Amino acid sequence: MSLMHKFLGAAATLALTAGVAAADPAIIFDLGGKFDKSFNEAAFNGAQRWAAETGGTFKELEMQSEAQREQALRRLAEAGANPVVMTGFAFADVLSKVAPDFPDTKFAIVDVDWLDLPNVQQVSFAEHEGSYLVGMMAAMASKSGTVGFIGGMDVPLISKFACGYVQGVKAANPDAKVIQNMTGTTPAAWNDPVKGAELAKAQKSQGADVIYAAAGGTGIGVLQAAADEGILSIGVDSNQNHLHPGQVLTSMLKRVDNAVYDAFKAGTDLETGTIRVMNLASEGVGYALDDNNAALVTDEMKAAVDAAAEKIKSGEIQVHDFTTDSTCPVQ
């Protein structure tokens, strides 16, 4: 082989390596958008943290309609983004179609644990564990003995939040009553703050004085109505305590930001063909305590919840996961 051939071979290898190294990660947000102050925004914060720490850049897409899912995913994969991260179980079907067409691209999807694809990392959260903790807090803070739950789309994942919450409520007060409503049966249920506010007011009229919202952008309406009506609310996914200081009891943190940050940090070395479970023990879920809600959380409440958290981590308390059998042991 001539010296020139050797040089060209080395140059080609170098160019290829540089191309791989330069692949930007990408994120597609679910309906509701990246500034929903909840689920999508948590994901966006994780991407932003990675960019700030590394100086790297990432591609992002916000969909306007359900019909854009597959097109958005294909566009990012075709553009060479790697890995591509999706927020939400609603991407599962299109990912099943798209991932096999891009075997060299790595994908990560949040809130899915049932796919079997070699180039996909699935990330699921123990939302029932975090919801149990805020349920205990709701029961301890309630003066009426009636608390509420408002979910977004009526799907098993949101029933998982609800069931964990009810278990925590009953653990702290076996006589407590829990009023439950879902916002709707289509993806529009994630972004309907007006409906969220209506449901919150209806629950207050039935005696609820603490309401937990697990409804994406719809929850913003729940928190606003609760504040207007002089009752407490509980935020979800992101820390929402600051939205109405002194009126949000706590927020159930779902560390979607960590899932996105970790996937971006791993880059093309992302471990795929796996399910990553983010639970209390791995700090995947928890509750928020800061200056905005410190006056609402008593020492007794914090001690009880922290003790329960340790028992959940050790396995002494087993919080039932609704998605395992589509049932909840308490109502």
Side-chain angles (χ1 to χ4, degrees):
M1 185 184 284
S2 71
L3 191 61
M4 181 58 79
H5 278 113
K6 282 184 180 174
F7 173 75
L8 285 173
T13 306
L14 193 66
L16 182 66
T17 308
V20 170
D24 282 338
I27 184 165
I28 312 181
F29 300 102
D30 208 346
L31 295 172
K34 67 180 176 183
F35 294 125
D36 63 356
K37 298 186 170 61
S38 185
F39 178 74
N40 286 308
E41 194 156 330
F44 179 61
N45 289 341
Q48 288 280 76
R49 173 156 46 105
W50 172 84
E53 283 184 17
T54 63
T57 56
F58 61 92
K59 297 178 171 71
E60 57 178 291
L61 272 175
E62 290 185 84
M63 303 181 309
Q64 303 306 313
S65 72
E66 197 66 29
Q68 294 177 335
R69 265 186 217 283
E70 185 171 345
Q71 177 193 2
L73 190 53
R74 285 189 185 280
R75 190 187 304 163
L76 287 173
E78 285 164 359
N82 197 7
V84 179
V85 181
M86 286 139 283
T87 59
F89 62 86
F91 285 100
D93 289 348
V94 296
L95 183 59
S96 297
K97 290 184 206 168
V98 174
D101 294 343
F102 298 92
D104 297 330
T105 300
K106 293 188 171 181
F107 300 88
I109 183 167
V110 175
D111 284 347
V112 170
D113 61 5
W114 59 87
L115 299 177
D116 185 14
L117 297 162
N119 55 334
V120 173
Q121 181 186 83
Q122 304 174 75
V123 184
S124 70
F125 287 81
E127 296 94 350
H128 54 305
E129 294 181 354
S131 296
Y132 182 99
L133 299 183
V134 301
M136 288 182 68
M137 294 171 77
M140 294 178 78
S142 174
K143 295 180 173 63
S144 67
T146 298
V147 299
F149 174 87
I150 295 174
M153 189 175 172
D154 190 357
V155 288
L157 173 66
I158 299 303
S159 294
K160 183 179 177 182
F161 281 87
C163 183
Y165 177 68
V166 177
Q167 290 173 79
V169 169
K170 299 287 188 176
N173 177 6
D175 298 323
K177 180 182 176 189
V178 186
I179 303 166
Q180 300 182 51
N181 293 111
M182 296 291 188
T183 304
T185 56
T186 70
W190 302 121
N191 198 19
D192 193 347
V194 173
K195 181 76 179 289
E198 289 171 359
L199 289 170
K201 288 173 185 173
Q203 290 194 354
K204 187 207 174 192
S205 72
Q206 296 170 69
D209 60 356
V210 186
I211 300 176
Y212 176 29
T218 298
I220 302 306
V222 176
L223 271 56
Q224 179 68 57
D228 292 345
E229 298 284 328
I231 61 173
L232 295 173
S233 61
I234 296 174
V236 78
D237 296 343
S238 296
N239 182 349
Q240 299 181 320
N241 296 354
H242 67 281
L243 295 179
H244 301 280
Q247 296 178 288
V248 180
L249 176 62
T250 187
S251 297
M252 199 290 277
L253 300 176
K254 178 174 172 178
R255 299 304 302 270
V256 183
D257 58 327
N258 287 349
V260 174
Y261 172 86
D262 292 346
F264 276 22
K265 192 172 181 182
T268 53
D269 293 326
L270 182 70
E271 191 180 340
T272 56
T274 57
I275 298 171
R276 182 180 180 199
V277 179
M278 298 183 71
N279 57 15
L280 260 182
S282 62
E283 298 186 351
V285 293
Y287 73 94
L289 185 62
D290 58 25
D291 290 346
N292 295 304
N293 71 331
L296 300 171
V297 180
T298 64
D299 291 344
E300 180 194 9
M301 200 184 290
K302 187 176 187 310
V305 172
D306 289 347
E310 291 308 311
K311 288 178 180 175
I312 291 170
K313 290 176 187 176
S314 72
E316 187 179 337
I317 291 178
Q318 298 270 339
V319 185
H320 181 74
D321 177 352
F322 177 90
T323 60
T324 58
D325 61 2
S326 300
T327 68
C328 190
V330 290
Q331 294 299 323

